[in-house]
Amino acid sequence: MTIVDVEIAMLDAGYIRSTLFQQRLASPMSAFAEFAANRALWMWPSEKVITILRDKDGIEGVSITNGGRVVATILHDQFARLIRGRAADDIAEIWEILVRSSLPFDRSGYAMMAVAAVDIALWDMKSKRERQTLTTLTGGVRNRDLRAYVTTGVPERFAQTAFSGIKVPIPGGPHDGPDGVAENIAIVRRARAAAGDDRDVMIDAFMAWDVDYTLRMFEALQPYRVRWFEDPLPPNNIRDFEVLKRAGGDALHLALGNFSFSRWDCNELLSAGVVSVLQPDIAWCGGVTEALRIVALANMRQTDVIFHNTSEQPWALALSQSQPGVCEVEYVDRDSDSMLHQLFEGGASVIGARVIDDGTVGHSLSSRARGAMTAFEPSR
């Protein structure tokens, strides 16, 4: 069970070329004219990072996360040498080693994506070694009929579907004036028309707003019964969220946490009482090990959990099935030929707006993903 090989590869899955990144949408960079036209103009390195761990018995553990060459460099230059020769079943200890070794240069973001890459691959090895699904390893099937909502920039595509709700990214922010407010109302009106009266409508402001603008939009969107406002403010100022919640009251529901990169980040939100739905991303927040801790914290606060971008992460679908307090999953509307829904073979997937699991043990890269990946070449 000793780790003998760490392989790091890159995969261009078309992430930055997708519709969601090519259209004008609000973002933290909307304040700058040269970056406001679309998120692709400034977005972080977009290549996926594939991590493959092998032990001396030939068992292979696989993960995919974000962060491109930045995360791949952390894995290659820092983490790989720390885990070679260690027992693959010492998952919690390896997690501590990696997190502590990254403290001098980072405590969130890219570093935790790299930690997640190793941790998810270790859990995959454990699944294959013990011949049990990750759902079984993390508690067994608890949530048998999970609903799925869809995130899309074209809500009309999902007018006649079984998805439980429609979430739309918002185009306008404080720097766009009355036209931006009108655009926001228009996209939410379209989402409500597509969802009808019986399904949810949610919005994602992607950290682009401030307190005053969020309250303005909260009032303007009252007729459309928005279930939640996702990430309206930058995540680095809990006090602003507290001010926002006091002003909006119990009717203002906030979905937060996909830019919280550890249990400590998530606990700040939970302790402040500002989050209605916690949405950590397992491939960003330190992996399966840390996600289990985050869910436990959310359960203590009786706060619902929906893992960010669930449908493209088999480990997120597995934990959605096994963990108490997980109420739903997210399906992201990608372009029709996107590889992002074809990264793995077998296991759990979102079909007909429900999570379906074929019982496959472990995660196997699809032939399409393997054919498109390239070996990581470190800079010299």
Side-chain angles (χ1 to χ4, degrees):
M1 294 188 293
T2 302
I3 299 169
V4 296
D5 186 39
V6 181
E7 180 183 352
I8 302 160
M10 310 300 292
L11 175 66
D12 182 355
Y15 184 74
I16 207 71
R17 297 186 296 278
S18 65
T19 301
L20 281 175
F21 287 93
Q22 293 295 327
Q23 62 188 140
R24 191 181 73 81
L25 296 172
S27 82
M29 300 292 281
S30 296
F32 307 98
E34 64 267 41
F35 301 118
N38 62 65
R39 295 177 185 176
L41 293 172
W42 65 270
M43 189 62 72
W44 53 73
S46 63
E47 284 183 296
K48 295 284 188 179
V49 180
I50 298 174
T51 302
I52 303 174
L53 306 183
R54 298 182 181 90
D55 69 12
K56 64 180 181 63
D57 299 319
I59 295 175
E60 186 177 274
V62 179
S63 71
I64 296 181
T65 190
N66 295 81
R69 294 190 61 84
V70 179
V71 168
T73 299
I74 295 171
L75 288 163
H76 181 274
D77 290 359
Q78 176 73 354
F79 288 175
R81 62 188 174 89
L82 300 179
I83 65 174
R84 285 193 184 95
R86 303 197 70 87
D89 59 349
D90 288 341
I91 298 176
E93 181 170 286
I94 289 174
W95 192 94
E96 285 291 335
I97 288 170
L98 299 184
V99 169
R100 293 184 184 214
S101 76
S102 65
L103 289 177
F105 62 87
D106 200 357
R107 288 181 288 280
S108 65
Y110 293 130
M112 291 305 284
M113 290 179 188
V115 172
V118 173
D119 185 80
I120 292 166
L122 288 172
W123 277 95
D124 188 36
M125 294 177 81
K126 180 179 177 68
S127 175
K128 292 168 180 171
R129 183 168 58 248
E130 299 185 15
R131 299 181 181 179
Q132 296 189 66
T133 66
L134 183 58
T135 300
T136 300
L137 290 176
T138 55
V141 177
R142 178 186 298 267
N143 307 314
R144 294 189 178 276
D145 192 28
L146 277 169
R147 303 184 309 164
Y149 76 84
V150 63
T151 297
T152 180
V154 189
E156 292 81 6
R157 288 179 185 168
F158 300 92
Q160 303 297 324
T161 63
F163 285 100
S164 60
I166 298 174
K167 184 174 76 182
V168 288
I170 291 296
H175 303 278
D176 298 311
D179 287 346
V181 173
E183 284 185 275
N184 293 344
I185 294 172
I187 187 67
V188 175
R189 184 186 299 119
R190 288 168 55 197
R192 174 49 68 199
D197 293 332
D198 299 329
R199 294 194 291 163
D200 295 321
V201 168
M202 299 81 79
I203 65 173
D204 182 0
F206 199 65
M207 306 178 288
W209 294 354
D210 56 29
V211 171
D212 290 342
Y213 193 86
T214 304
L215 292 171
R216 181 182 180 186
M217 292 310 310
F218 175 55
E219 290 299 323
L221 296 174
Q222 286 293 316
Y224 305 102
R225 294 181 289 113
V226 174
R227 177 182 173 188
W228 74 60
F229 289 64
E230 183 169 324
D231 294 321
L233 312 179
N236 53 342
N237 191 338
I238 297 296
R239 181 173 175 78
D240 279 353
F241 283 106
E242 292 174 333
V243 172
L244 178 61
K245 274 296 291 179
R246 281 197 299 270
D250 293 340
L252 174 59
H253 298 286
L254 301 178
L256 310 171
N258 63 313
F259 296 102
S260 296
F261 296 102
S262 67
R263 66 184 182 275
W264 300 290
D265 286 351
C266 289
N267 195 47
E268 278 195 278
L269 297 171
L270 292 164
S271 298
V274 297
V275 56
S276 301
V277 179
L278 190 67
Q279 295 189 309
D281 189 307
I282 298 178
W284 297 0
C285 74
V288 172
T289 298
E290 190 73 339
L292 292 171
R293 296 164 177 157
I294 290 169
V295 170
L297 288 172
N299 287 336
M300 289 174 59
R301 300 280 182 176
Q302 297 183 316
T303 301
D304 287 340
V305 174
I306 301 174
F307 291 115
H308 176 247
N309 199 8
T310 333
S311 63
E312 293 165 25
Q313 302 181 39
W315 43 86
L317 288 167
L319 265 63
S320 295
Q321 292 177 304
S322 71
Q323 294 307 293
V326 177
C327 63
E328 212 161 347
V329 302
E330 178 185 20
Y331 180 92
V332 180
D333 175 23
R334 304 294 186 185
D335 297 332
S336 59
D337 193 40
S338 173
M339 192 188 302
L340 292 168
H341 285 302
Q342 303 172 27
L343 297 175
F344 297 94
E345 294 175 344
S349 58
V350 176
I351 300 174
R354 288 288 188 273
V355 175
I356 307 297
D357 195 336
D358 66 7
T360 299
V361 171
H363 309 135
S364 297
L365 289 173
S366 68
S367 57
R368 185 177 180 186
R370 283 193 179 273
M373 73 184 202
T374 58
F376 170 65
E377 296 291 341
S379 301
R380 298 296 181 189

